[in-house]
Amino acid sequence: MPSLDMERVPENGSDCETADQSEEESQPKKVVNKKKPKKRGIIYLSTIPPYMNVAKIREIFSQFGDVGRIYLQSSAKPGEKRKRVPNLFTEGWVEFEKKRIAKSVAANLNNTKIGTRKRSRYYDMIWNIKYIPRFKWIHLSERLAYERAAMKQRLRAEISQAKKEANYLQNNIEKSKKIKKFKAMEKESA
């Protein structure tokens, strides 16, 4: 069995230098290049034209750089049936892989026409884009989760209120039936 050379640290806590340590210190230390993760940039679209969806937005913004995630807020309320109306979105967020590209897209496209051709359905519409500094996708996720939780809580409160009202009405109906029965019995006995 091969012997294992292990450094022992003295119990009294004093520093001791071994031959291996002095050799390591004399050699230049290698610097490990750790690349910083590229900072992503997020732009906010305050209005989304009718008939525009995630695929169309990805197609438009991919011309300027790598597009990461896209989220479009639907105008339909939860639980509402979808009509045969085009996809209507109220607002949206687009994440670019590079912050610099997101800034330039927001600066260059804000207040410009969406469609360039006259026959385009977006010809008369204008982009309203804003770069959001120090905003991360997790902030959006947290906001959406909070809104979902608040919506569930509101629905639970509405359901419990409706149940209370239904129980109250049911109790009043039963009381009125008993009173009518009681009055009918009094008339018969009198």
Side-chain angles (χ1 to χ4, degrees):
M1 194 163 152
S3 65
L4 297 174
D5 293 333
M6 299 178 95
E7 290 181 19
R8 287 189 85 186
V9 177
E11 293 178 2
N12 61 3
S14 66
D15 292 328
C16 68
E17 190 173 307
T18 62
D20 293 336
Q21 289 175 341
S22 61
E23 288 175 16
E24 288 176 8
E25 289 175 4
S26 64
Q27 294 176 354
K29 292 185 179 182
K30 294 180 182 176
V31 177
V32 178
N33 289 336
K34 290 185 179 179
K35 288 186 178 180
K36 289 184 182 177
K38 298 269 183 178
K39 291 194 177 180
R40 296 169 179 242
I42 297 176
I43 60 173
Y44 171 71
L45 308 172
S46 67
T47 56
I48 309 292
Y51 300 100
M52 192 168 279
N53 56 18
V54 174
K56 185 68 176 169
I57 287 182
R58 184 175 299 278
E59 178 186 328
I60 291 169
F61 288 112
S62 291
Q63 298 170 5
F64 304 103
D66 293 333
V67 175
R69 295 172 276 201
I70 296 174
Y71 178 76
L72 300 178
Q73 182 78 36
S74 179
S75 63
K77 293 177 183 164
E80 218 176 68
K81 287 186 179 179
R82 288 209 165 192
K83 302 171 186 167
R84 292 191 180 246
V85 180
N87 292 341
L88 296 177
F89 298 103
T90 54
E91 57 189 355
W93 291 264
V94 179
E95 180 186 50
F96 284 91
E97 297 296 325
K98 295 181 182 174
K99 183 171 138 180
R100 178 180 48 82
I101 293 174
K103 282 182 178 179
S104 67
V105 166
N108 294 331
L109 286 186
N110 191 26
N111 291 329
T112 59
K113 285 189 173 184
I114 295 174
T116 54
R117 297 178 308 184
K118 281 216 175 199
R119 290 189 175 222
S120 170
R121 57 173 58 147
Y122 311 118
Y123 181 71
D124 293 330
M125 297 174 190
I126 294 177
W127 283 120
N128 191 357
I129 301 175
K130 181 174 175 42
Y131 171 74
I132 309 172
R134 295 180 300 281
F135 187 79
K136 299 204 179 341
W137 200 260
I138 191 77
H139 298 133
L140 178 63
S141 301
E142 287 172 355
R143 177 183 158 220
L144 295 173
Y146 173 77
E147 287 177 359
R148 275 193 298 273
M151 176 68 78
K152 284 182 182 178
Q153 188 174 2
R154 276 196 304 272
L155 287 174
R156 272 188 250 125
E158 287 177 14
I159 289 171
S160 68
Q161 182 66 26
K163 284 181 180 178
K164 285 179 186 176
E165 289 174 5
N167 287 338
Y168 178 75
L169 290 173
Q170 186 67 32
N171 289 338
N172 282 346
I173 290 172
E174 289 174 8
K175 284 179 185 176
S176 67
K177 284 181 181 178
K178 287 180 183 177
I179 291 171
K180 285 181 184 177
K181 232 185 216 185
F182 184 71
K183 286 183 180 179
M185 288 175 59
E186 282 182 355
K187 285 184 181 180
E188 287 178 6
S189 63

